[in-house]
Amino acid sequence: MKPRQQVSRPAIAMIKRFEGYRRKAAQLPDGRWTIGYGHTASARKGAEVPEQDAEALLIYDLIEVSHAVNEWTFTALTQNQFDALASFVFNIGAEPFRHSLVLRHLNEGALLQAACAMELWRRAEVGNERIVVDALVRRRAAEKALFLTPAGAWVPAPTAVLRPELDIDLTGLVPHQAPEAVETSLEGERVRVRRDLAAFVVPKAPEPAEPNPARAAAEAVTTRLSGLFRELDPAETPAVIPAPPAETPPAEAARPFPLAAGVTGPGPFAPANDLARPVPPHADTPPAVERLDIPGRPPAQSWRDLAPLAVLAALGLALFVGGLYWAFHVAPDAGVSAGGALGVGWLAGVAGIGFFSVAAYRLFERLGQGDGDDALGR
């Protein structure tokens, strides 16, 4: 039979730090009252409790928590694992723990999976919205660290021997939503919860201090290609007809945003200045440009004009491939000396390269004068 365990003093101290001390009773959004270190059983309106008595109420509440952990877990636990579970159950409640994935992994003997499942309890409902709370992320991390702390010595896992790799099965532990700071007042007759909107700002990525080799290479290629296209004179620059500007809707006025029961505050997206106004759809779309014909401009090249160059390029490629095939396959079988065969093959290959290079250069030049201008909007 598994021995019954009790919460240790270090675990009580950790729970006190996470819960916070409330001297006077305050009403929760669901109508109940709380006092001390999260005590709700005997809290009522107007009650006060000193800090020493608040700790006694916490120890009284932990008796029921310890009973739930002892009754519902069938795996032998160390003191650190029991203390971590006691803090976890005190925070989420006994019934949610009874139906949680944490308890199922515990009774399966998968203790490491149970520790990872504890971190999934990091959301709370604030203002009718479920958000990831930074304080809960920190509390789950502390409880997981305590759960994984062995009673004896640590098991060495040197990275030179066991190189860590990404575990794609546990990528769900990283929240897609950035955790938000939530402030809870410990004074007054009502529990007030307020989201710290100033702290919920996604920082911009810093610019690289050193030049990026890939970006420098891309800019060099772009500059080289742009020089191959014919530049238009300033007098030949086509007129640009911009599209009418999109109408910007007026900024919405700040409206009250419910934070908790009976508590209101500014909405999370209330505009504080002109920069906070909603951006209209397609605001970043460039103005429409209409291409106008320019007198004296050469017409766009047609594929009929480019067909001879394509045939010349194909002929050069055929000579190059045929010369190599003649030198290394046909000529030796025909009894011609190796030197003569190689000479004929190299001559045909050089001629093929010349034909192909001339055709490619002229083809690219004509495309740059005609269709290349159209591609650039000229």
Side-chain angles (χ1 to χ4, degrees), residues 2-265:
K2 186 170 71 74
R4 303 185 67 85
Q5 297 174 270
Q6 300 293 332
V7 183
S8 65
R9 293 299 304 181
I12 295 176
M14 184 183 72
I15 296 174
K16 288 170 59 178
R17 288 194 300 268
F18 281 117
E19 291 292 333
Y21 168 65
R22 185 184 298 274
R23 181 177 180 84
K24 297 182 179 180
Q27 191 174 18
L28 295 171
D30 58 1
R32 298 180 301 161
W33 291 80
T34 180
I35 196 173
Y37 297 103
H39 176 75
T40 58
S42 60
R44 62 185 185 277
K45 182 179 180 179
E48 296 186 14
V49 60
E51 190 171 356
Q52 183 176 1
D53 294 341
E55 183 177 344
L57 291 176
L58 174 62
I59 296 175
Y60 173 78
D61 291 337
L62 289 177
I63 295 176
E64 181 180 357
V65 171
S66 301
H67 177 75
V69 176
N70 284 316
E71 288 294 326
W72 296 337
T73 58
F74 307 106
T75 304
L77 303 173
T78 65
Q79 186 62 46
N80 290 335
Q81 293 170 346
F82 186 87
D83 290 342
L85 290 174
S87 175
F88 178 72
V89 175
F90 184 82
N91 184 225
I92 71 171
E95 283 302 319
F97 170 71
R98 188 173 186 176
H99 303 284
S100 67
L101 190 63
V102 177
L103 180 60
R104 193 181 79 178
H105 285 317
L106 285 173
N107 292 332
E108 291 174 352
L111 300 181
L112 294 180
Q113 291 176 293
C116 293
M118 293 169 62
E119 291 186 309
L120 298 177
W121 293 78
R122 63 202 175 200
R123 289 183 177 268
E125 186 171 346
V126 179
N128 298 326
E129 182 181 357
R130 287 169 53 86
I131 63 173
V132 179
V133 182
D134 61 346
L136 292 180
V137 173
R138 296 187 180 95
R139 180 164 184 167
R140 297 291 91 85
E143 292 167 350
K144 179 182 177 181
L146 180 61
F147 186 94
L148 297 177
T149 302
W154 289 91
V155 178
T159 57
V161 179
L162 300 174
R163 183 66 60 183
E165 296 181 359
L166 177 64
D167 184 7
I168 59 176
D169 295 333
L170 297 180
T171 53
L173 296 179
V174 180
H176 297 286
Q177 175 189 1
E180 300 188 35
V182 175
E183 299 177 355
T184 304
S185 174
L186 296 178
E187 303 295 337
E189 293 186 354
R190 300 183 75 87
V191 176
R192 299 182 179 273
V193 179
R194 183 176 297 275
R195 298 166 66 177
D196 189 0
L197 300 179
F200 188 63
V201 177
V202 180
K204 296 182 179 180
E207 292 293 335
E210 300 180 357
N212 191 341
R215 181 181 300 178
E219 292 177 355
V221 172
T222 303
T223 304
R224 183 67 180 274
L225 290 178
S226 62
L228 297 177
F229 294 99
R230 184 177 60 86
E231 296 291 340
L232 288 176
D233 296 334
E236 297 180 351
T237 303
V240 177
I241 302 177
E247 296 183 359
T248 304
E252 297 182 0
R255 57 181 179 272
F257 179 73
L259 300 178
V263 182
T264 59

